[in-house]
Amino acid sequence: MKPMNERYKILFESVEIGPKTAKNRFYQVPHAMGSGNDMPNTRAAQRGIKAEGGWGVVNTGYCSIHPSSDDRPLPFARLWSEKDIASHVPMVEAVHEHDALAGIEFFHGGAYAANRHTRMPPISPSGIQQKVGELMDMHLTAPKVMDKKDIKDLIQWHLIATERAIKAGFDIIYCYAGMGFLPYHFLHPTFNNRSDEYGGSLENRSRLMRELITEMKTVAGDRAAIAVRMSTDELLTFASESSESEAHEFFEINGELPDLWDIKMSSWFKECPSGRFAESGHMEPYNSFVKKLTSKPVVGVGWFTSPDVMAKQINEGILDFVGAARASIADPFLPNKLKEGREDDIRECIGCNICASCYNQGIPVRCTQNPSMGEEWRRGWHPERIKPKSSEDSILVIGGGPAGLEATLSLARRGYSVAIADSEKELGGRINMESKLPGMSSYKRVIDYRLNQINQLDNIDVYLDNTLSSDDVLELGFDHVVTATGSSWQPTIMDEKSAPVFVTKTDTIFTPEDILNGCDLKSPVIIFDFDYYYMGGLLAEHIRDLGHEVTIITPFEKVSPWSFNSNEIVEIQSRLMEKDIKVLTEHRILDVMDSSLKIINTAINKESIIDRGSLVLVGYRAQNDSLYDSLISDEEALKTSGIKSVQNIGDSNAPGAVVHAVFAGHLYANTFDQLNDPSNEDFKLEYPVIQ
Ligand code: ADP
Ligand code: SF4
């Protein structure tokens, strides 16, 4: 084992959090993992793996303390009754097993809580609903104005939940005053216009927080630390008579109360932007002032992916703990790798926000870089270990994109002898092109990590600039063959049922590959985009950056509508506006003429003609599966050549996002030698106890 690099030693210092001591400064902040109380085993394995990988503190996601804060159908955790305690115990035990502290983030959503299941009226300081245009946050009940009894009840719910959290074994208990939730709305002058002692001055508006922290600390004693999670960005903009801002004044009044401060932003979109739209350390303006106003430890996030940026936070006195959600998802073993002098082996987060998209879709977390995330319990996958080979068979992987590379690496880690071939002169597949688009360079890490690992193994042969035919494959003498030959964008528009309609390609009609290969374009460039994800918007930006006039037409209400899930949709629309790209939503192309298009406004069925130079069609990808089809079409030839199995994975099987390709490669490497077809395996579920 190599010694730890001196410059990371500071990250391994222990830090006191009230009555508890964290063994190092690696702090997995509370973040949603898509597994609430209904999936206690999944949750325990997801969080436990981070403790095993060296994170000193591991928290739950948001945990509602009372039925008046019900967030269904989103996957929140719950501590509403004594019966909920048991569901948390497996996670606490999994975290304690590796000497980490287990934290729980209490949550009361206040006016945000839709209470769709419990049907209780939402509650708030002054009856003001913060309206946002997101479906899950829209609900039809205005919140009730809390009277004094409601305030007493809210404090009491926190105290009862504190006792329950301690029974479950948690070391750190959060009071949550961020993101428009209830204690935050008390602090916020827009949402709190009360005239009693809980409204008016900041001293009064923070009274509820003081009471909550003080009373929770009394209940906890030395059995648990009390942390506060707090949004500062808006308070920093509010003027204060006695201090630099209301945020400063808040910490001057309350800075010493809890055992730890965890600083965040007032909206998830702002706090967790994708790597396309944020730099590492982007939260510094909102958290760096806090340490000057308190002696208590401060934790903050900000898409820290590199250990040097992490160490800088501590060295420069910005934070006491390096807070992370995504870095701990992409590489749960980041701390241990640093400790072992293996920083080059870190699987660096690419900032795609696929993990965040899982919460928005109500499913256990998935990660582009780390295919085992969310599968620890269900499939028994581990980010660093994989079962050994079951034979001396050799495997040929055809295609070096994310699917082929992940399959190659994981097969080789199992001990198999593997060869990977690609038509191109370098490995990387689609990533090599897509990572050149604006803001996408971090996607290259998917390839860089795998190539670096592959280069350390001596049971992998790489054949570049090698387009294999089925005859070539039959002659090569491998026992197993897997095709990961990708997909191709097709020149299609779409009909009224959203089905693709093929258009003949000309020297002015292009697909994304043509653009990425640098074809000649003529203004005005029209992009017709009926893909759900990022490609249309990215190409619009790219082509505009080349100096062309660009219009993007989409049948949807917004460009890249799926990107709501990855917290990117707002930034995508802003970027198009900033770059002066014309956007025509709810339109479809009816006919493609030489220098014009017939289009239809699908909302009002109105047809019109627009001029065009080049036309770029983004919407439909087809599998490059001809090699696979040709191989499996001749069973006799396979038998004669000694090939025992042929499988098709990734985009050449079902075109998807990069996360799907990496997962497909990992699944293949784990299951190709199982007798059962992996698609038919028993899907392991957590079953409810029938009462
Ligand atoms: P995925 O996302 O499924 O990994 P990609 O499109 O990123 O797919 O990568 C597919 C790779 O397969 C490309 O790099 C392409 O050059 C390679 N490829 C396709 N057909 C062949 C072939 N017949 N022989 C070798 N390589 C191929
Ligand atoms: Fe990072 Fe993407 Fe993994 Fe999330 S899904 S942790 S953003 S690589």
Side-chain angles (χ1 to χ4, degrees):
M1 200 200 298
K2 281 204 300 187
M4 186 194 331
N5 190 316
E6 281 295 318
R7 62 182 194 275
Y8 305 134
K9 279 206 167 133
I10 196 164
L11 295 169
F12 290 89
E13 291 170 350
S14 63
V15 182
E16 282 180 14
I17 308 174
K20 302 284 174 173
T21 303
K23 66 178 174 184
N24 60 34
R25 297 181 188 270
F26 293 98
Y27 194 105
Q28 182 247 272
V29 291
H31 71 87
M33 293 275 263
S35 48
N37 280 36
D38 302 338
M39 301 176 91
N41 298 299
T42 304
R43 178 168 62 188
Q46 284 170 330
R47 305 281 180 191
I49 204 78
K50 297 176 183 208
E52 187 187 335
W55 294 82
V57 179
V58 177
N59 285 284
T60 63
Y62 69 146
C63 176
S64 171
I65 55 164
H66 190 261
S68 58
S69 178
D70 152 37
D71 216 19
R72 279 208 180 188
L74 291 169
F76 65 105
R78 203 177 57 214
L79 207 44
W80 291 352
S81 87
E82 295 290 307
K83 287 184 191 153
D84 282 325
I85 296 171
S87 151
H88 291 275
V89 172
M91 174 202 146
V92 174
E93 288 176 348
V95 170
H96 283 171
E97 200 183 320
H98 302 284
D99 293 330
L101 298 179
I104 181 165
E105 181 189 43
F106 284 180
F107 152 76
H108 198 295
Y112 257 120
N115 299 339
R116 294 179 181 92
H117 182 201
T118 62
R119 304 177 82 172
M120 297 174 96
I123 52 175
S124 76
S126 301
I128 304 167
Q129 193 178 9
Q130 187 170 359
K131 297 212 170 170
V132 284
E134 292 150 26
L135 190 60
M136 276 304 140
D137 292 326
M138 285 187 211
H139 57 90
L140 305 180
T141 323
K144 170 187 189 265
V145 179
M146 290 169 76
D147 57 26
K148 292 282 175 56
K149 175 168 182 312
D150 293 324
I151 292 177
K152 269 203 181 116
D153 286 347
L154 178 70
I155 295 171
Q156 203 51 36
W157 299 335
H158 277 82
L159 301 185
I160 294 168
T162 299
E163 198 55 63
R164 286 179 184 148
I166 291 170
K167 273 192 201 158
F170 285 105
D171 307 290
I172 302 171
I173 302 172
Y174 269 73
C175 172
Y176 195 173
M179 294 246 203
F181 301 143
L182 187 48
Y184 182 67
H185 269 187
F186 268 88
L187 294 176
H188 202 299
T190 310
F191 300 101
N192 178 352
N193 50 37
R194 298 173 73 94
S195 53
D196 62 6
E197 67 272 33
Y198 291 96
S201 66
L202 183 64
E203 171 98 35
N204 275 357
R205 281 183 273 128
S206 56
R207 185 179 306 279
L208 173 71
M209 289 292 301
R210 273 195 301 286
E211 291 177 355
L212 280 170
I213 301 166
T214 316
E215 296 198 34
M216 284 170 73
K217 281 196 74 159
T218 307
V219 169
D222 60 5
R223 296 180 297 164
I226 302 299
V228 174
R229 200 164 210 207
M230 158 107 195
S231 299
T232 55
D233 53 318
E234 293 184 312
L235 292 182
L236 277 165
T237 67
F238 300 150
S240 155
E241 279 177 14
S242 63
S243 193
E244 220 175 304
S245 73
E246 282 214 339
H248 290 78
E249 189 187 337
F250 174 86
F251 286 101
E252 281 158 11
I253 302 172
N254 305 300
E256 294 306 307
L257 287 180
D259 296 315
L260 173 137
W261 290 103
D262 178 341
I263 307 302
K264 60 166 7 216
M265 303 274 279
S266 57
S267 101
W268 201 30
F269 274 26
K270 287 193 220 162
E271 178 175 276
C272 187
S274 79
R276 256 177 93 179
F277 303 110
E279 294 291 323
S280 186
H282 65 97
M283 290 273 297
E284 207 173 303
Y286 314 105
N287 58 33
S288 56
F289 72 100
V290 179
K291 253 183 80 58
K292 298 182 188 94
L293 301 172
T294 177
S295 66
K296 305 294 174 172
V298 178
V299 56
V301 291
W303 193 39
F304 305 128
T305 64
S306 123
D308 291 301
V309 177
M310 293 177 180
K312 176 175 168 261
Q313 304 302 307
I314 313 300
N315 283 324
E316 295 189 359
I318 301 164
L319 300 169
D320 296 292
F321 284 104
V322 177
R326 288 175 286 184
S328 71
I329 294 170
D331 198 337
F333 278 64
L334 184 149
N336 283 358
K337 287 179 183 175
L338 286 182
K339 209 173 195 176
E340 294 160 9
R342 295 172 52 217
E343 50 270 24
D344 292 343
D345 291 337
I346 291 171
R347 207 184 297 103
E348 194 172 356
C349 166
I350 70 167
C352 60
N353 273 0
I354 285 293
C355 49
S357 80
C358 297
Y359 163 74
N360 286 328
Q361 295 169 92
I363 50 166
V365 70
R366 277 87 179 75
C367 171
T368 299
Q369 275 284 55
N370 174 9
S372 67
M373 182 47 66
E375 302 290 351
E376 298 85 356
W377 176 78
R378 202 175 88 68
R379 294 182 200 262
W381 286 359
H382 189 281
E384 302 302 316
R385 290 193 295 274
I386 191 162
K387 63 188 172 190
K389 64 183 177 182
S390 61
S391 73
E392 294 304 316
D393 286 355
S394 59
I395 302 113
L396 172 65
V397 179
I398 306 163
L405 279 178
E406 175 60 31
T408 301
L409 175 60
S410 295
L411 286 165
R413 282 180 172 163
R414 290 190 63 188
Y416 284 107
S417 156
V418 192
I420 177 167
D422 199 289
S423 313
E424 299 294 326
K425 290 194 171 66
E426 56 177 337
L427 293 169
R430 61 185 282 192
I431 301 274
N432 288 337
M433 289 217 261
E434 291 181 20
S435 60
K436 291 188 186 124
L437 289 167
M440 294 289 281
S441 59
S442 56
Y443 277 59
K444 199 85 173 78
R445 294 172 189 168
V446 173
I447 303 309
D448 293 344
Y449 165 73
R450 288 171 175 80
L451 287 185
N452 178 35
Q453 298 299 300
I454 284 173
N455 287 336
Q456 295 176 36
L457 296 168
D458 56 13
N459 50 342
I460 302 171
D461 291 320
V462 179
Y463 300 99
L464 296 175
D465 210 358
N466 241 302
T467 302
L468 298 182
S469 65
S470 52
D471 286 343
D472 298 330
V473 175
L474 293 171
E475 274 171 24
L476 284 170
F478 286 88
D479 297 305
H480 302 272
V481 175
V482 56
T483 52
T485 43
S487 61
S488 310
W489 292 93
Q490 304 295 307
T492 52
I493 53 176
M494 67 174 245
D495 71 9
E496 70 279 9
K497 295 274 187 218
S498 305
V501 178
F502 280 81
V503 171
T504 308
K505 260 180 133 180
T506 68
D507 59 359
T508 61
I509 298 181
F510 301 112
T511 59
E513 286 98 345
D514 301 318
I515 308 300
L516 292 163
N517 284 323
C519 64
D520 281 337
L521 289 164
K522 204 168 129 216
S523 287
V525 178
I526 311 288
I527 300 173
F528 179 59
D529 172 20
F530 64 106
D531 181 45
Y532 287 133
Y533 203 15
Y534 51 61
M535 186 54 82
L538 277 172
L539 288 181
E541 276 192 53
H542 170 68
I543 295 170
R544 184 75 186 114
D545 291 347
L546 293 175
H548 294 281
E549 194 187 313
V550 182
T551 298
I552 181 162
I553 302 177
T554 175
F556 309 120
E557 287 174 15
K558 287 199 168 134
V559 174
S560 310
W562 189 90
S563 307
F564 163 78
N565 292 308
S566 52
N567 289 356
E568 292 174 297
I569 195 157
V570 175
E571 295 283 3
I572 288 174
Q573 320 303 312
S574 317
R575 200 51 67 89
L576 296 174
M577 279 184 225
E578 279 162 20
K579 291 198 171 171
D580 208 13
I581 293 162
K582 290 192 200 108
V583 178
L584 216 49
T585 58
E586 295 179 87
H587 276 75
R588 203 159 57 75
I589 295 178
L590 289 178
D591 202 3
V592 179
M593 284 86 79
D594 279 348
S595 57
S596 61
L597 299 169
K598 189 202 266 188
I599 58 174
I600 182 164
N601 178 324
T602 52
I604 54 171
N605 269 338
K606 190 173 167 203
E607 295 180 10
S608 59
I609 303 286
I610 59 164
D611 289 340
R612 76 168 179 95
S614 303
L615 174 64
V616 184
L617 299 172
V618 187
Y620 173 59
R621 277 190 292 155
Q623 302 90 311
N624 298 334
D625 54 6
S626 56
L627 177 60
Y628 172 75
D629 284 347
S630 153
L631 283 168
I632 58 160
S633 66
D634 192 344
E635 274 184 36
E636 213 39 54
L638 286 177
K639 223 184 242 167
T640 313
S641 69
I643 294 176
K644 298 177 191 168
S645 77
V646 182
Q647 281 194 45
N648 187 26
I649 62 166
D651 289 330
S652 52
N653 185 43
V658 179
V659 61
H660 302 118
V662 173
F663 174 75
H666 200 71
L667 182 67
Y668 173 80
N670 270 279
T671 56
F672 84 100
D673 53 355
Q674 274 172 213
L675 287 178
N676 296 336
D677 175 353
S679 57
N680 290 334
E681 74 184 311
D682 188 17
F683 195 90
K684 192 172 163 193
L685 287 170
E686 299 191 45
Y687 289 96
V689 175
I690 309 300
Q691 295 167 25

